[in-house]
């Protein structure tokens, strides 16, 4: 299989974490795509130009991190990240939705920051900063949910990839006032799959701007 990524993409990071957690490294070739560049050869592979993108051994071509993570999880016939059954299904979906909502907002904010200064929208920056603050407050409570602890799942992976964007956004300060979230994140971020896929920090990206960022 071929998994197209960029090093800074939190969505691609989710798929990379699943590859590592499932021990699929020998089956999945990780390829850095050139995104956000006019006439990138990557557009001939994935016309949307987004990452992650997976080309399976069976020829299947998949977009969307949630779909790709599920496909990778099932690739060994022994899925570990399916939603829990019964009453917990909707709780799991609710938490995954909340985590993705935070991630989507922080991704928009991060993209705005990577634009040239004279192209950045102050109102978008403010809107996403405010949303990020509200979501961090919400997660300081939600992090007590039993599904956010114990065996790793997609809710945890999604939230951790969102919070991990602090490395790419110097204005994202979700830690102050959120001690439970800090403890939770620091523990999950120490897992080898998270350490290996940690995004390059914003200063490094600015020093060597890559069209493929984030
Ligand atoms: N909903 C998509 C979002 C993917 C996405 O927005 N990826 C960004 C990188 S973080 C991208 O590829 N941007 C390149 C572009 O917009 O051309 C998912 O979950 O996979």
């Amino acid at each position: 299989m071929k998994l197209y990524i960029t090093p800074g993409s939190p969505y691609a990071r989710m798929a990379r974490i699943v590859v590592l957690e499932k021990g699929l490294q020998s089956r999945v070739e990780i390829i850095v795509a050139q995104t956000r560049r006019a006439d990138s050869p990557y557009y001939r592979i994935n016309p949307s130009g987004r990452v992650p993108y997976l080309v399976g051994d069976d020829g299947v071509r998949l977009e969307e991190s949630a779909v790709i993570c599920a496909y990778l999880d099932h690739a060994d016939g022994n899925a570990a990240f399916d939603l829990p059954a019964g009453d917990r299904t909707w709780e799991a979906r609710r938490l995954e939705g909340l985590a993705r909502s935070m991630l989507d907002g922080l991704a928009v904010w991060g993209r705005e920051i990577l634009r040239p200064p004279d192209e950045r929208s102050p109102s978008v920056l403010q809107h996403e900063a405010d949303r990020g603050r509200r979501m961090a407050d919400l997660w300081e409570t939600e992090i007590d949910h039993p599904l956010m602890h114990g065996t790793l799942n997609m809710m945890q992976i999604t939230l951790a990839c969102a919070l991990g964007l602090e490395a790419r956004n110097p204005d994202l300060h979700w830690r102050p006032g959120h001690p439970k979230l800090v403890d939770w994140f620091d523990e999950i971020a120490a897992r080898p799959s998270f350490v290996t896929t940690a995004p390059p920090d914003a200063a490094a990206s600015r020093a060597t701007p890559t069209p493929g960022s984030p």
Side-chain angles (χ1 to χ4, degrees), residues 1 22 24 27 70-78:
M1 292 181 271
K22 296 297 304 270
L24 294 171
R27 293 184 57 188
Y71 184 89
L72 289 168
D73 184 27
H74 282 252
D76 60 0
N78 187 23

Side-chain angles (χ1 to χ4, degrees), residues 9-11 35-36 48-52 64-65 100 111 214:
S9 166
Y11 300 100
T35 60
R36 297 181 171 271
S48 87
R50 291 200 177 91
V51 290
E64 284 293 322
S65 50
R100 188 162 277 268
R111 243 168 256 154

Side-chain angles (χ1 to χ4, degrees), residues 137-152:
D137 288 348
L138 177 67
W139 272 110
E140 179 66 8
T141 304
E142 293 285 359
I143 207 63
D144 287 336
H145 197 290
L147 284 171
M148 297 310 292
H149 299 268
T151 309
L152 189 68

Side-chain angles (χ1 to χ4, degrees), residues 5-119:
I5 65 131
T6 57
S9 166
Y11 300 100
R13 186 182 186 195
M14 290 167 61
R16 293 162 68 204
I17 287 169
V18 171
V19 168
L20 294 171
E21 291 286 344
K22 296 297 304 270
L24 294 171
Q25 297 92 311
S26 65
R27 293 184 57 188
V28 181
E29 182 187 357
I30 306 285
I31 300 169
V32 175
Q34 293 296 324
T35 60
R36 297 181 171 271
R37 171 185 283 178
D39 303 323
S40 170
Y42 178 54
Y43 301 157
R44 291 199 287 276
I45 297 163
N46 177 14
S48 87
R50 291 200 177 91
V51 290
Y53 188 65
L54 186 82
V55 180
D57 293 335
D58 53 3
V60 70
R61 304 173 85 87
L62 298 173
E63 271 214 74
E64 284 293 322
S65 50
V67 178
I68 291 170
C69 288
Y71 184 89
L72 289 168
D73 184 27
H74 282 252
D76 60 0
N78 187 23
F81 297 122
D82 278 346
L83 288 174
D87 294 347
R88 299 176 99 199
T89 304
W90 290 107
E91 271 305 280
R93 287 194 166 198
R94 182 182 72 80
L95 292 166
E96 194 171 356
L98 283 181
R100 188 162 277 268
S101 177
M102 185 172 194
L103 171 57
D104 287 346
L106 295 181
V108 169
W109 185 5
R111 243 168 256 154
E112 201 63 25
I113 284 171
L114 285 176
R115 286 184 213 282
D118 62 341
E119 289 181 20

